[in-house]
């Protein structure tokens, strides 16, 4: 309930499936309901009706089992400022139930893959926005989840860092992971996504490959196709 606007339905009848080895893009304007939808999928918000299934596990009935298969990246999840980047990642590995040696090994591997070794021993409250984002990404992946929900993973990153994250997402896809990818950067969505769901005013108004959405709207550019669908 919003005192000025009254009751707002952030997401209504939103339904889609994501297969293993597929990147599904979720695109929408600010306020379209993307973050709310992703939070419900991840079990952080409970929907008024319906449920999400992670690897066929009902999030409403068995939330802990479902979350164990899931990695969720969102820009609103804070880091513990007093922990160093390396400590932060390893700590979450232990929270996910990894053995100490495995948590350490996964942490070191992710830091190398994401180019984090230079700031591995810097406290999180001293990191830049871009390096903090890399720590958040590594923390999301430390337990090697089967399903990834990535809410604007390249936000705050420079071009080089953004490219490394995009390439990393491609590698995770090649491992057979199901990935939900939300972004405002249309060329990222076009390059990465096998299919895209366009969310508008809390509803999915179209789903298709980037090529299908461009063909449907008669546009050659993904930005133009998106605008045509939501206006």
């Amino acid at each position: 309930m919003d005192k000025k606007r009254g009751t707002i339905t952030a997401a209504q009848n939103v339904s889609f499936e994501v297969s293993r080895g597929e990147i599904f893009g979720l695109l929408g304007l600010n306020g379209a309901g993307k973050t709310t939808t992703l939070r419900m999928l991840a079990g952080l918000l409970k929907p008024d009706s319906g449920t999400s299934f992670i690897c066929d596990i009902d999030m409403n009935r068995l939330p802990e089992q479902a979350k164990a298969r899931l990695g969720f990246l969102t820009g609103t999840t804070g880091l513990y400022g007093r922990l160093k980047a390396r400590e932060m990642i390893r700590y979450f590995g232990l929270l996910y139930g990894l053995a100490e040696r495995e948590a350490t090994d996964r942490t070191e591997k992710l830091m190398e893959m994401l180019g984090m070794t230079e700031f591995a021993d810097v406290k999180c409250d001293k990191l830049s926005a871009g390096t903090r984002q890399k720590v958040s990404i590594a923390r999301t992946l430390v337990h090697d989840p089967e399903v990834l929900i990535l809410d604007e993973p390249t936000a705050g990153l420079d071009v080089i860092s953004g490219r490394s994250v995009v390439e990393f997402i491609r590698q995770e896809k090649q491992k057979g992971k199901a990935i939900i990818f939300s972004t405002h950067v249309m060329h990222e969505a076009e390059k990465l996504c096998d299919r895209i769901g366009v969310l508008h005013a809390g509803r999915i108004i179209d789903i298709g490959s980037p090529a299908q959405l461009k063909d449907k709207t008669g546009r050659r550019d993904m930005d133009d196709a998106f605008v045509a669908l939501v206006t």
Side-chain angles (χ1 to χ4, degrees):
M1 171 69 76
D2 185 290
K3 292 182 178 179
K4 293 183 178 180
R5 295 182 293 170
T7 301
I8 299 170
T9 302
Q12 186 173 4
N13 299 324
V14 175
S15 180
F16 57 87
E17 296 181 2
V18 185
S19 301
R20 295 180 184 274
E22 180 184 25
I23 300 177
F24 182 89
L26 190 63
L27 305 185
L29 300 170
N30 289 335
K34 298 189 303 300
T35 297
T36 298
T37 298
L38 297 180
R39 283 175 169 268
M40 288 191 293
L41 290 175
L44 299 182
L45 292 176
K46 188 173 182 179
D48 295 325
S49 62
T51 189
S52 59
F53 290 87
I54 306 297
C55 300
D56 296 323
I57 300 171
D58 188 329
M59 181 63 77
N60 285 350
R61 293 183 58 249
L62 299 169
E64 296 306 316
Q65 291 185 31
K67 290 176 183 178
R69 308 287 187 92
L70 174 69
F72 179 46
L73 172 70
T74 174
T76 58
T77 301
L79 302 176
Y80 300 134
R82 295 183 179 182
L83 290 182
K84 298 174 182 178
R86 173 182 279 113
E87 293 171 337
M88 185 74 196
I89 300 164
R90 185 177 182 277
Y91 173 65
F92 267 79
L94 295 173
L95 287 181
Y96 276 112
L98 300 184
E100 291 196 11
R101 182 63 184 176
E102 185 180 9
T104 298
D105 289 345
R106 282 287 298 170
T107 297
E108 297 301 321
K109 181 179 179 180
L110 286 167
M111 287 193 301
E112 182 177 353
M113 293 178 70
L114 291 169
M116 299 173 59
T117 53
E118 291 184 2
F119 57 88
D121 292 310
V122 177
K123 290 185 178 180
C124 289
D125 62 0
K126 302 297 183 183
L127 296 174
S128 67
T131 53
R132 286 173 62 87
Q133 182 73 339
K134 285 192 173 185
V135 175
S136 293
I137 291 169
R139 178 183 63 178
T140 300
L141 296 169
V142 68
H143 59 304
D144 199 21
E146 298 173 61
V147 179
L148 294 175
I149 299 178
L150 306 176
D151 191 4
E152 299 189 42
T154 60
L157 299 182
D158 58 40
V159 173
I160 300 300
S161 297
R163 284 186 175 181
S164 69
V165 170
V166 167
E167 180 57 32
F168 190 82
I169 293 171
R170 285 198 181 101
Q171 293 173 12
E172 294 300 293
K173 173 189 172 179
Q174 293 301 316
K175 294 177 183 177
K177 297 187 179 183
I179 302 173
I180 301 173
F181 177 76
S182 173
T183 183
H184 282 109
V185 184
M186 293 299 152
H187 76 265
E188 283 185 354
E190 187 169 8
K191 285 182 178 181
L192 276 175
C193 298
D194 300 289
R195 291 184 301 135
I196 290 172
V198 180
L199 190 66
H200 187 61
R203 295 176 180 270
I204 294 282
I205 59 173
D206 215 327
I207 293 179
S209 69
Q212 288 172 333
L213 295 179
K214 287 190 291 184
D215 287 344
K216 184 172 184 176
T217 58
R219 304 298 199 273
R220 299 177 63 183
D221 183 84
M222 194 62 213
D223 284 304
D224 294 337
F226 172 76
V227 171
L229 287 167
V230 300
T231 56

